[in-house]
């Protein structure tokens, strides 16, 4: 009991003080506002529920990715067949039922067509992207494989995450967290964000920009009924445009996609003084755009954003140099938001906001101040109670408790974990466990003394007997904590992390450290009786 | 210095004498709790129900005009709004269930939130938005499933561990005590229609953790005494064990209470539900360790031999081995 070799003492004290020291930056930054926030030392992150800010959960629909993928392969098939030498004529192309099917007009072309499709259905990786069957001699059916769809979803989410990151960076907010969650979700957390509206507007926009020629041959009555002439598609006007509620027919092919953009900025139309978005194409896009406008002077083209027509101006003269202007009843804010979205690129898939939480920054700060005050009052009460009950042993227990809190904070800072409101419940439980451990030990020592054991034997036995119950209780809670972490979601995990770390620090401080101190004191004074 | 002794030496309360009536009351309470949960339902916050919650402060007023806010928000046509005091007298939380089609439509939810804030701002210039939550039905459903799954998994694993460490009767006893604690907490939330959110799940977890601690301390003493007093009748032995750990039980509960009460009184409002649930849990958890977990051992048939066979078997083998080497 009394034997604590020097190396062990150094090791215990070193570890304790090192971890406790790691807690200091966090304590400082939590209590005083003027502590420099750009400290190199690690600090505990405060969750948004404590510090204020916005939490947004975005989700993509798997089915939408699949539909997009089907659309892409339709385009690929058309292109491949058209550019084959000699050209392979296909017809009756359809994407119903989640499959792509089409007919090869001449049966003699079937083998050649199959050959040409092999690279795209096998994909680049090891997984097969599509299953190909040929029915009735000439009908090709491409069915997506689950692996292929998985790949497409992963890719779409990876690039969506990148786009989201770029857009948020444009807002210039401090330390946003952007994480992929599960297969189809992205968590965005922005601490201290004052105005989540702007953020949501940015994230809710896919920003898929297209320029397509208006099909002037379409009959207005057909268009309103949703009937498009062959080779054309119907698009609705955007809700914000002057023609909201009506639709327009545009040529399916020969347009330009917004992905060849290099820059987009908000500006004003020199003539009307309306807010507009100025865009700049890259070399390839500029060439295409110049050709499109040269060949179609005097005809209207539609500017389509996320499947809705913003405006359909006439091409007055060829537009060379790769710059263009998008108009469409913008406010300055919405034009600026669109410019950011276009600059950051289009989202490969539409993201819906399925969860949003915002906590005002005042609230968070006040919560912490009140919480700290209440904790201080509580701590004083605990200290008084412990010392009044166990005397010197109560002092040791109190010191252990303080170090426990510091070590727990220190470890959380080093691991860069986030302290949330549920985490505070975990904190309370940890402190309870630490208090309980010392109570168990001290009550045991009392008992042993009552049975007439001598001081050193009583202390030794007290620690030995109590430790078993302490370990059992802590291991049980540890198991519970691990399972909560595995099966729980956000807030439950926040609780579990603090609980698990706290179990280690509370056992360490309440059992090991107090024992070190008690043994040191006993060895030095060798008391015949102890007050406990 | 004279030290404080909360529990006098040689306390000998006959806890187990009243075990049957206490058990009947507890089982009735458990049944009543579940009946309440199923009939009244829990007052799910937006975490679990989905929907929209706006929290705001009326900065210039002492007391928030709750009835008026309720009428104004109700008049917007999104069904009855739940308007509650939240924190200070001049702070409110406004909850609206989203219409079916809005649950998965990002713009609708946002538009409704903006409309509520706009309407109230127009009428009350001192309206300050403190925050808003907006959870789609899909996510809230997942939260519910996750929470239940996590709770059940944790409770079963804990029971399994106690079975291995002690005996199966102890595992069952602990599981039952936990079930008791969770049931009563849920019943309490159903009875008073307190808002049930993810934070409360964290509180229930803390309660489980605390109750478990208590139960194991008592069980540990029972195991020790079972080995020590082989001839003592079980009810008497359980009483002895509970009495021996009573000083610890009282002291620990009291210490935690003195730490929690200031948090209830002066702590941030956002912590109130959490801290209240944990405080309640200390009482429930302590009670269940003494009156649920311990007496159940009698009915499950624990006796002095529970911890013996394994040891004698090991002893026998050891003795046999010793004989062999000696011989």
């Amino acid at each position: 009991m009394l034997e604590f070799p020097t190396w062990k003492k150094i090791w215990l004290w070193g570890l304790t003080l090192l971890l406790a020291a790691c807690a200091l930056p966090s304590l400082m930054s939590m209590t005083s506002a003027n502590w420099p926030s750009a400290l190199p030392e690690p600090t505990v992150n405060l969750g948004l529920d404590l510090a204020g800010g916005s939490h947004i959960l975005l989700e993509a629909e798997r089915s939408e990715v699949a539909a997009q993928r089907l659309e892409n392969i339709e385009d690929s098939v058309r292109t491949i067949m058209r550019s084959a030498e000699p050209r392979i004529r296909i017809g009756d192309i359809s994407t119903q039922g989640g499959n792509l099917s089409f007919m090869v007009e001449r049966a003699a072309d079937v083998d050649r067509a199959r050959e040409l499709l092999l690279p795209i259905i096998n994909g680049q990786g090891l997984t097969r992207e599509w299953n190909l069957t040929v029915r009735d001699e000439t009908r090709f059916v491409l069915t997506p494989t689950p692996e292929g769809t998985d790949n497409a979803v992963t890719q779409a989410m990876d690039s969506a995450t990148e786009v989201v990151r770029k857009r948020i960076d444009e807002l210039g907010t401090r330390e946003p967290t952007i994480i992929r969650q599960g297969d189809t979700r992205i968590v965005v957390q922005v601490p201290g964000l004052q105005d989540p509206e702007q953020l949501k507007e940015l994230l809710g926009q896919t920003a898929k920009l297209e320029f397509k020629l208006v099909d002037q041959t379409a009959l207005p009555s057909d268009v309103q009924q949703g009937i498009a002439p062959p080779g054309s598609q119907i698009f609705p006007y955007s809700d914000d445009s002057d023609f909201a509620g009506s639709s327009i027919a545009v040529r399916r092919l020969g347009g330009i996609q917004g992905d060849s953009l290099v820059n987009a900025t908000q500006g004003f139309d020199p003539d009307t003084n309306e807010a507009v978005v100025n865009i700049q194409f890259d070399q390839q896009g500029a060439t295409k755009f110049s050709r499109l406008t040269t060949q179609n002077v005097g005809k209207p083209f539609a500017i389509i954003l996320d499947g809705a027509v913003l405006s359909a101006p006439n091409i007055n003269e060829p537009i060379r140099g790769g710059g263009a202007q998008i108009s469409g009843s913008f406010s300055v804010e919405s034009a600026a938001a669109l410019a950011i979205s276009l600059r950051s690129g289009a989202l490969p898939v539409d993201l819906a906001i399925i969860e949003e939480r915002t906590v005002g920054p005042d609230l968070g700060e006040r919560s912490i101040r009140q919480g700290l005050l209440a904790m201080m009052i509580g701590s004083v009460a605990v200290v008084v109670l412990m010392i009044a009950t166990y005397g010197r042993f109560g002092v040791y227990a109190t010191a252990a408790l303080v170090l426990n809190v510091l070590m727990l904070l220190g470890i959380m800072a080093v691991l860069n974990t986030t302290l949330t409101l549920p985490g505070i419940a975990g904190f309370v439980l940890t402190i309870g466990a630490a208090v309980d451990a010392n109570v168990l030990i001290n009550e045991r020592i009392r008992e042993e003394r009552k049975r007439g054991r001598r001081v050193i034997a009583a202390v030794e036995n007290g620690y030995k007997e109590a430790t078993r119950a302490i370990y059992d209780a802590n291991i049980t809670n540890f198991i519970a904590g691990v399972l909560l972490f595995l099966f729980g979601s956000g807030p439950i995990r926040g609780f579990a992390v603090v609980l698990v770390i706290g179990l280690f620090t509370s056992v360490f401080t309440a059992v090991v450290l107090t024992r070190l101190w008690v043994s040191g004191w006993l060895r030095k004074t060798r008391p015949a009786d102890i007050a406990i | 210095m004279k030290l404080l002794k909360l529990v006098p030496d040689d306390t000998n309360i006959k806890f187990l004498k009243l075990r049957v009536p206490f058990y009947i009351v507890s089982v009735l309470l458990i049944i009543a709790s579940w009946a309440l949960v199923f009939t009244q339902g829990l007052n799910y916050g937006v975490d679990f129900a989905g929907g929209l919650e706006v929290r705001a402060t009326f900065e210039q007023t002492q007391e928030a005009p709750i009835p008026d806010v309720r009428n104004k928000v109700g008049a917007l046509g999104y069904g009855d709004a739940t308007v509650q005091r939240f924190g200070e007298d001049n702070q409110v939380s406004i909850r609206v269930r989203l219409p079916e089609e809005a649950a998965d439509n990002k713009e609708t939810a946002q538009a409704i939130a903006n409309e509520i804030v706009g309407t109230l701002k127009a009428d009350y210039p001192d309206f300050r938005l403190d925050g808003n939550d907006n959870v789609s039905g899909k996510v809230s459903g997942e939260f519910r499933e996750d929470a239940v799954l996590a709770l059940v998994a944790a409770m079963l694993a804990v029971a399994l561990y106690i079975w291995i460490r002690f005996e199966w009767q102890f595992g069952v006893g602990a599981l039952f005590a936990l079930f008791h604690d969770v049931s009563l907490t849920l019943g309490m939330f159903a009875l008073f229609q307190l808002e049930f959110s993810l934070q409360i799940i964290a509180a229930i977890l803390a309660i489980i953790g605390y109750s478990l601690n208590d139960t194991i301390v008592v069980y540990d003493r029972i195991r020790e005494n079972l080995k020590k007093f082989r001839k003592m009748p079980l009810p008497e032995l359980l009483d002895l064990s509970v009495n021996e750990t009573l000083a610890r039980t009282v002291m620990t509960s009291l210490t935690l209470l003195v730490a929690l009460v200031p948090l209830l009184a002066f702590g941030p409002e956002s912590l109130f539900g959490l801290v209240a649930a944990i405080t309640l849990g200390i009482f429930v958890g302590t009670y269940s360790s003494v009156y649920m977990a311990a007496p159940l051992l009698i009915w499950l048939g624990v006796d002095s031999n529970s911890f013996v066979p394994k040891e004698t078997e090991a002893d026998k083998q050891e003795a046999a081995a010793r004989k062999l080497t000696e011989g």
Side-chain angles (χ1 to χ4, degrees):
Chain A
M1 163 78 211
L2 300 186
E3 306 317 314
F4 264 101
T6 314
W7 65 267
K8 208 169 177 182
K9 270 192 227 169
I10 295 173
W11 184 81
L12 291 176
W13 271 113
L15 183 69
T16 309
L17 295 179
L18 179 72
L19 289 174
C22 292
L24 293 180
S26 307
L27 280 182
M28 295 295 187
S29 65
M30 267 187 244
T31 44
S32 78
N34 38 14
W35 184 266
S37 54
L39 276 180
E41 286 96 330
T43 53
V44 175
N45 300 318
L46 288 180
L48 297 182
D49 50 355
L50 293 176
S54 283
H55 162 109
I56 291 175
L57 183 60
L58 300 159
E59 189 185 52
E61 283 297 331
R62 217 183 136 80
S63 60
E64 205 188 312
V65 177
Q68 191 107 54
R69 188 165 173 252
L70 207 58
E71 217 172 277
N72 291 346
I73 193 137
E74 185 188 338
D75 282 349
S76 305
V77 167
R78 282 181 195 275
T79 316
I80 289 173
M81 297 305 162
R82 199 179 320 120
S83 52
E85 284 292 333
R87 179 174 181 170
I88 300 173
R89 292 194 170 278
I90 56 172
D92 195 16
I93 196 159
S94 131
T95 54
Q96 265 162 12
N99 298 329
L100 174 71
S101 81
F102 60 91
M103 272 168 65
V104 176
E105 282 183 7
R106 294 189 316 132
D109 283 337
V110 166
D111 285 337
R112 210 152 57 87
R114 192 208 301 269
E115 198 69 28
L116 288 169
L117 287 176
L118 279 182
I120 59 167
I121 62 169
N122 283 335
Q124 279 111 17
L126 295 167
T127 50
R128 173 184 277 268
E129 300 273 326
W130 299 84
N131 286 324
L132 171 65
T133 50
V134 181
R135 288 181 204 150
D136 307 335
E137 312 278 294
T138 56
R139 174 162 290 279
F140 281 61
V141 178
L142 291 176
T143 316
T145 59
E147 298 81 20
T149 311
D150 285 347
N151 281 348
V153 170
T154 309
Q155 273 172 22
M157 292 309 290
D158 280 344
S159 55
T161 310
E162 260 329 291
V163 172
V164 167
R165 193 186 309 283
K166 274 192 209 154
R167 290 189 188 176
I168 290 175
D169 284 346
E170 292 264 3
L171 279 179
T173 47
R174 217 161 54 94
E175 300 171 45
T177 313
I178 298 144
I179 319 169
R180 277 273 306 276
Q181 192 184 66
D183 290 340
T184 54
R185 291 180 177 175
I186 302 173
V187 180
V188 176
Q189 293 189 321
V190 188
L193 186 73
Q194 301 288 337
D195 176 22
E197 293 318 305
Q198 202 189 354
L199 177 66
K200 280 186 288 181
E201 196 165 306
L202 265 183
L203 298 181
Q205 206 164 36
T206 307
K208 186 178 175 212
L209 187 67
E210 295 162 291
F211 297 92
K212 290 189 168 183
L213 283 171
V214 175
D215 186 349
Q216 290 173 295
T217 64
L219 295 168
S221 57
D222 280 355
V223 170
Q224 293 322 319
Q225 281 170 18
I227 305 166
S232 290
Q233 294 169 276
I234 307 279
F235 277 107
Y237 267 102
S238 144
D239 288 342
D240 299 325
S241 79
D242 298 338
F243 304 100
S246 57
S247 301
I248 191 168
V250 298
R251 282 268 154 75
R252 195 187 277 275
L253 298 175
I256 296 177
Q257 304 282 328
D259 48 14
S260 45
L261 279 178
V262 285
N263 199 10
T265 49
Q266 188 259 318
F268 293 96
D269 185 304
D271 300 329
T272 61
N273 219 14
E274 271 185 355
V276 293
V277 179
N278 293 313
I279 56 171
Q280 190 69 40
F281 284 109
D282 62 11
Q283 183 86 51
Q284 212 183 351
T287 317
K288 262 171 122 182
F289 197 61
S290 157
R291 198 187 318 139
L292 176 82
T293 49
T294 312
Q295 288 167 358
N296 297 290
V297 172
K299 292 180 194 163
F301 73 107
I303 304 172
I304 303 161
L305 179 70
D306 295 345
V309 178
L310 289 177
S311 59
N314 272 322
I315 302 169
N316 296 327
E317 56 193 276
I319 303 170
R320 302 201 174 86
Q325 189 183 71
I326 305 173
S327 56
S329 311
F330 292 118
S331 65
V332 175
E333 289 79 26
S334 64
L338 177 58
I340 292 182
S341 302
L342 291 176
R343 269 206 300 277
S344 345
L347 286 172
V349 56
D350 200 16
L351 295 176
I353 297 174
I354 52 170
E355 186 195 350
E356 188 237 320
R357 292 161 191 277
T358 309
V359 176
D362 307 339
L363 204 67
E365 205 179 294
R366 210 182 55 213
S367 293
I368 292 170
R369 245 195 345 261
Q370 285 179 338
L372 283 175
L373 172 76
M375 278 206 244
M376 263 184 270
I377 299 174
S379 311
V380 171
V382 170
V383 171
V384 170
L385 190 61
M386 289 294 274
I387 296 178
T389 312
Y390 301 120
R392 171 179 287 272
F393 288 81
V395 175
Y396 292 145
T398 306
L401 206 55
V402 172
L403 285 172
N404 176 34
V405 171
L406 290 179
M407 284 177 83
L408 177 50
L409 266 180
I411 292 179
M412 288 181 68
V414 171
L415 297 180
N416 203 23
T417 49
T418 303
L419 182 64
T420 57
L421 221 46
I424 290 182
F427 232 95
V428 173
L429 186 59
T430 298
I431 293 173
V435 168
D436 189 50
N438 279 120
V439 170
L440 274 168
I441 292 167
N442 293 342
E443 289 294 336
R444 262 305 170 137
I445 298 175
R446 259 188 191 176
E447 259 178 75
E448 299 288 326
R449 283 292 292 159
K450 216 166 61 191
R451 285 198 191 125
R453 282 202 207 246
R454 296 161 40 133
V455 170
I456 290 180
V459 171
E460 197 163 348
N461 253 329
Y463 268 93
K464 209 178 92 194
E465 299 291 328
T467 308
R468 203 179 45 231
I470 295 170
Y471 281 146
D472 265 332
N474 280 290
I475 292 172
T476 319
N477 264 320
F478 174 78
I479 292 172
V482 169
L483 278 152
L484 292 176
F485 187 81
L486 292 180
F487 291 105
S489 53
I492 295 179
R493 287 187 158 204
F495 171 86
V497 168
V498 177
L499 177 67
V500 167
I501 302 175
L503 290 175
F504 285 102
T505 58
S506 64
V507 169
F508 179 77
T509 53
V511 178
V512 182
L513 283 186
T514 59
R515 191 165 156 173
L516 174 70
W517 299 331
V518 170
S519 75
W521 172 67
L522 286 180
R523 191 158 40 169
K524 212 161 57 192
T525 59
R526 303 257 167 201
D529 193 11
I530 48 171
I532 189 162
Chain B
M1 191 174 80
K2 184 89 175 68
L3 294 178
L4 188 69
K5 261 199 184 133
L6 294 168
V7 177
D9 292 345
D10 307 316
T11 302
N12 190 10
I13 304 171
K14 300 280 174 213
F15 287 103
L16 281 251
K17 221 165 128 187
L18 290 174
R19 64 178 182 271
V20 177
F22 269 113
Y23 239 86
I24 293 173
V25 170
S26 293
V27 169
L28 286 179
L29 280 177
I30 292 176
I31 295 171
S33 293
W34 285 104
L36 273 173
V37 170
F38 284 115
T39 55
Q40 298 274 74
L42 289 167
N43 175 15
Y44 284 130
V46 289
D47 292 340
F48 291 118
L52 188 71
E53 178 179 2
V54 173
R55 293 179 301 277
T57 307
F58 291 87
E59 288 183 288
Q60 305 295 325
T61 358
Q62 286 295 314
E63 208 172 317
I66 290 179
D68 191 45
V69 170
R70 193 173 288 136
N71 287 337
K72 287 214 162 74
V73 177
L76 294 175
Y78 302 113
D80 276 339
T82 313
V83 182
Q84 290 171 328
R85 201 184 73 106
F86 177 80
E88 308 294 317
D89 282 343
N90 62 347
Q91 292 181 315
V92 288
S93 122
I94 304 161
R95 260 193 290 146
V96 182
R97 268 171 212 268
L98 294 174
E100 279 291 311
E101 73 277 6
D104 299 309
N105 187 333
K106 62 204 179 203
E107 273 137 23
T108 320
Q110 195 43 54
I112 297 173
N114 288 345
E115 203 176 337
I116 294 173
V117 173
T119 306
L120 293 174
K121 256 195 181 142
D123 289 346
Y124 297 100
D126 62 336
F127 180 91
R128 187 191 75 202
L129 183 66
D130 288 330
N132 69 298
D133 288 353
N134 163 3
V135 180
S136 84
K138 190 170 173 184
V139 179
S140 64
E142 287 174 12
F143 278 147
R144 274 203 301 267
E145 276 165 32
D146 264 9
V148 171
L149 184 66
L151 274 177
V152 171
M155 280 165 61
L156 288 179
V158 159
L160 191 70
Y161 172 77
I162 297 177
W163 174 10
I164 294 168
R165 258 315 258 151
F166 294 78
E167 283 292 324
W168 69 266
Q169 292 94 335
F170 290 74
V172 174
L175 191 62
F176 187 74
L178 292 184
F179 177 70
H180 167 267
D181 300 339
V182 173
S183 305
L184 259 55
T185 313
L186 289 180
M188 207 65 119
F189 273 85
L191 180 65
F192 295 113
Q193 289 293 300
L194 300 172
E195 185 176 319
F196 194 80
S197 63
L198 274 170
Q199 279 179 33
I200 302 303
I201 293 282
I204 293 181
L205 298 177
I207 293 172
I208 289 185
Y210 178 76
S211 171
L212 211 52
N213 221 42
D214 242 16
T215 304
I216 288 183
V217 168
V218 174
Y219 275 6
D220 186 76
R221 194 54 84 102
I222 293 172
R223 176 173 56 185
E224 195 184 318
N225 284 338
L226 275 173
K227 287 183 197 164
K228 211 161 34 178
F229 308 106
R230 304 282 312 266
K231 295 278 183 307
M232 193 185 283
L234 194 60
E236 209 172 298
L237 186 135
L238 296 183
D239 261 342
L240 175 73
S241 308
V242 173
N243 273 300
E244 278 180 349
T245 49
L246 192 63
R248 170 264 158 200
T249 306
V250 172
M251 181 64 189
T252 299
S253 313
L254 192 68
T255 319
L256 278 180
L257 283 179
V258 300
L260 287 172
V261 168
L263 264 177
L264 273 182
F266 312 112
E269 202 60 43
S270 45
L271 277 179
F272 187 86
L274 187 80
V275 180
I278 297 178
T279 310
L280 173 78
I282 290 180
F283 291 101
V284 180
T286 309
Y287 167 81
S288 73
S289 311
V290 173
Y291 279 103
M292 299 284 103
L296 202 59
L297 296 179
I298 299 178
W299 293 313
L300 290 175
V302 172
D303 61 41
S304 316
N305 291 322
S306 286
F307 289 97
V308 178
K310 266 184 259 164
E311 283 170 39
T312 45
E313 198 59 43
D315 283 350
K316 266 186 213 155
Q317 282 176 2
E318 203 182 311
R322 205 177 302 129
K323 237 179 214 164
L324 270 177
T325 49
E326 276 168 7

